[in-house]
Amino acid sequence: MYDVIIIGGGVSGAASARELSRYEARVCVLEKEEDICCGTSKANSAIVHAGYDAVPGSMMAKLNVRGNEMMEQLSKELDFPFKRIGSLVICLNEQDMPTLKELYDKGIENGVKGLQILNRDEVLAMEPNITEEVYAALYAPTAGIVCPFGLNIALAENAYENGVEFKFCTEVQEIEKTQDGYVLHTNQGAFQTKYVVNAAGVYADKFHNMVSGQKIHITPRRGDYCLLDKSAGNHVSRTIFSLPGKYGKGVLVTPTVHGNLLIGPTASDIEDKEGTNTTREELNEVILKAGQSVKNIPMRQVITSFAGLRAHEDGSEFIIGEPEDAKGFIDCAGIESPGLTSCPAIGEMVAGILKEKLGLKEKKNFVPTRKGILDPNTLSKEERAALIKKEPAYGNIICRCEMITEGEIIDAIRRPLGARSLDGVKRRTRTGMGRCQSGFCSPRTMEILARELGVSMSDITKSGGNSRLVVGVNKDRI
């Protein structure tokens, strides 16, 4: 019997787990994939929004601003990349100024600090590659960028180190209400719990509707992106938005914390909750719309494209709390943008609800800090030489594009909740994320995974399940 079971290992589930790990409680995260950060949390804009877009008074607005405020301290405690670079919302003509002013007014009402409306000359002085057609812009200095993998993994590792259990490849199939709480029936057996936290992303409506007569409906909203090489990373120094429309904040252009340039997303409502395929039409839309805000984007430097899904609930609002007819079931549903920004505050809110309901007491030995994977590139020449002398694996470059060493890959595999697949290594170290997109480093990374996990090369997968890369050979010979 658990006190709390969290369904989903994305940023909302991991943030809730981390906050709950502050208390004396038996907590478990059930994740249907082979790793954390495999759904909505792995494919998004990686933006820490300032908070001017959400409707004043809404849960989105409150948690966005609170999450933004929490992110910098959290990045220091949990050692993940975060930069507060600011953002600009571009207005192209005088007729759209009322819309820009409306964003400004909403931001002020939401408590966003430092907002300014800049004129054309001020914008171009700040960002020379903004389109010459710019008329004005809303500047938000508190906006930032983050590594979504780094954030998600850091939250989960810290929760694990503080006693939270994680069960992977464990898909919840049915939820049964009992006198003492709930029984979650999964492909790995049944789990009993007093409380459930439903942080299942695009599947959150499915689980909510199993236990409540107050139905909700989530639409997967797909967004296509293009990622450009680091040679394009300085094209803009802030996140550049177009004016938001019916389906969200529009196509943006932004540097990433790792030095690339990212453009996207589109917004297409689909039915397939696993529909992360890109389309030529939507990638063309990304390129066209990005070019309307920022000139001379070096599109020949695109190294990959991808799509992510946003969990859009019909009410366009976060749903966090206990349904009236499903006591003990805590929804964390409809977490679309600004969900990544809001996740620290979402975790804080969910843990606060459960602390009160379960009468939880704080641990005396809670450890709020976590150290990420050592990057030898941050060391001095002398420190690096000493590290390699002590641990020679840090002198063996595996990923030439990102300059990732065997030592970093070994750390990614051996650390708490370590990598078990190529994508798991990629999310933790960036091995395979560079210009060649794993063309050179995959075989060596697979060898290291096989050696460290004590399995055959044919057992190594790209992303768990049946995604094996070596097939049609005698396993005993490799």
Side-chain angles (χ1 to χ4, degrees):
M1 171 65 80
Y2 290 96
D3 293 305
V4 182
I5 286 181
I6 300 168
I7 306 174
V11 287
S12 296
S16 299
R18 194 256 181 171
E19 287 300 315
L20 282 167
S21 73
R22 296 177 182 273
Y23 304 102
E24 298 289 349
R26 191 173 181 209
V27 181
C28 180
V29 176
L30 302 183
E31 169 56 54
K32 72 183 180 74
E33 302 295 342
E34 54 92 28
D35 199 0
I36 46 182
C37 198
C38 287
T40 297
S41 301
K42 77 172 182 180
N44 53 63
S45 304
I47 301 301
V48 175
H49 292 283
Y52 50 74
D53 190 55
V55 176
S58 67
M59 192 177 293
M60 271 188 181
K62 294 173 183 176
L63 295 178
N64 184 345
V65 174
R66 173 63 179 155
N68 180 294
E69 291 172 349
M70 295 173 72
M71 195 65 74
E72 190 162 357
Q73 179 60 32
L74 191 66
S75 71
K76 293 175 181 176
E77 289 180 352
L78 299 184
D79 193 24
F80 61 83
F82 165 72
K83 296 179 182 179
R84 199 175 292 283
I85 61 171
S87 68
L88 292 166
V89 182
I90 302 302
C91 177
L92 297 179
N93 53 66
E94 188 175 2
Q95 289 73 29
D96 286 332
M97 282 300 292
T99 304
L100 196 72
K101 181 62 165 58
E102 183 182 341
L103 281 182
Y104 173 85
D105 292 339
K106 285 201 293 186
I108 295 299
E109 191 171 348
N110 289 342
V112 180
K113 298 175 182 177
L115 287 177
Q116 301 175 55
I117 292 182
L118 307 180
N119 63 34
R120 179 180 185 276
D121 291 341
E122 290 172 321
V123 175
L124 290 174
M126 192 176 279
E127 293 286 350
N129 284 320
I130 294 293
T131 175
E132 296 291 339
E133 297 176 14
V134 61
Y135 182 83
L138 175 65
Y139 175 49
T142 60
I145 52 177
V146 69
C147 173
F149 319 119
L151 168 59
N152 200 161
I153 290 166
L155 289 165
E157 285 186 0
N158 190 234
Y160 178 81
E161 290 286 81
N162 282 292
V164 174
E165 297 178 39
F166 284 76
K167 309 286 187 185
F168 296 109
C169 303
T170 305
E171 182 175 2
V172 177
Q173 297 166 334
E174 295 292 337
I175 302 178
E176 175 189 354
K177 183 75 175 85
T178 67
Q179 187 174 350
D180 299 323
Y182 292 89
V183 175
L184 277 60
H185 298 278
T186 79
N187 61 330
Q188 302 292 339
F191 295 81
Q192 296 183 64
T193 182
K194 297 174 185 175
Y195 281 83
V196 173
V197 174
N198 174 25
V202 293
Y203 291 96
D205 56 348
K206 171 185 172 182
F207 298 122
H208 169 98
N209 294 340
M210 284 181 183
V211 301
S212 175
Q214 303 167 6
K215 305 303 182 185
I216 65 173
H217 177 252
I218 288 175
T219 301
R221 180 165 287 172
R222 185 179 64 207
D224 285 26
Y225 294 86
C226 291
L227 182 70
L228 282 70
D229 186 59
K230 291 181 179 180
S231 60
N234 294 324
H235 198 71
V236 294
S237 57
R238 296 163 185 83
T239 301
I240 311 300
F241 294 99
S242 54
L243 278 172
K246 177 182 177 182
Y247 292 106
K249 301 174 180 68
V251 170
L252 59 82
V253 181
T254 185
T256 73
V257 289
H258 298 291
N260 298 83
L261 189 73
L262 180 69
I263 63 174
T266 53
S268 297
D269 289 348
I270 61 175
E271 294 183 4
D272 183 3
K273 292 180 184 285
E274 300 291 335
T276 55
N277 56 298
T278 58
T279 68
R280 178 71 267 172
E281 293 75 21
E282 294 204 25
L283 292 175
N284 283 339
E285 182 183 341
V286 167
I287 295 167
L288 175 65
K289 291 187 175 179
Q292 292 172 352
S293 299
V294 178
K295 64 185 180 183
N296 301 325
I297 299 174
M299 295 307 301
R300 289 179 65 86
Q301 299 304 314
V302 170
I303 58 175
T304 191
S305 60
F306 63 93
L309 299 178
R310 286 157 273 179
H312 175 71
E313 206 282 322
D314 291 352
S316 299
E317 170 66 306
F318 295 162
I319 300 173
I320 302 175
E322 191 178 51
E324 291 181 6
D325 62 346
K327 299 303 180 184
F329 189 90
I330 311 299
D331 273 316
C332 192
I335 311 300
E336 59 179 326
S337 180
L340 188 70
T341 308
S342 304
C343 76
I346 290 171
E348 186 179 60
M349 182 176 178
V350 169
I353 293 170
L354 288 162
K355 177 188 177 184
E356 181 178 339
K357 290 186 176 296
L358 285 165
L360 299 178
K361 296 181 180 179
E362 290 190 18
K363 289 177 181 174
K364 294 181 180 179
N365 60 344
F366 172 74
V367 179
T369 57
R370 163 264 190 193
K371 193 65 180 172
I373 292 171
L374 172 65
D375 180 359
N377 294 310
T378 62
L379 303 177
S380 68
K381 187 176 179 181
E382 294 74 21
E383 290 171 330
R384 185 163 187 167
L387 173 66
I388 293 171
K389 184 176 181 180
K390 181 181 178 182
E391 300 184 51
Y394 283 98
N396 182 17
I397 301 294
I398 301 298
C399 174
R400 290 181 283 177
C401 297
E402 295 291 322
M403 296 298 288
I404 308 299
T405 66
E406 181 180 4
E408 293 163 85
I409 295 172
I410 292 172
D411 188 357
I413 297 167
R414 292 181 181 177
R415 67 194 293 107
L417 303 179
R420 295 293 179 269
S421 66
L422 277 181
D423 281 359
V425 171
K426 178 190 286 189
R427 284 189 291 270
R428 288 164 175 79
T429 66
R430 294 188 56 78
T431 301
M433 282 195 181
R435 190 170 186 85
C436 86
Q437 287 292 290
S438 77
F440 287 98
C441 59
S442 286
R444 285 290 292 118
T445 305
M446 290 174 65
E447 289 174 3
I448 297 168
L449 275 163
R451 183 189 73 212
E452 291 295 315
L453 299 177
V455 299
S456 166
M457 282 275 281
S458 62
D459 292 322
I460 301 301
T461 66
K462 182 181 185 297
S463 55
N466 294 320
S467 61
R468 290 181 174 83
L469 294 105
V470 178
V471 296
V473 296
N474 186 337
K475 287 179 63 174
D476 296 331
R477 299 183 64 185
I478 58 175

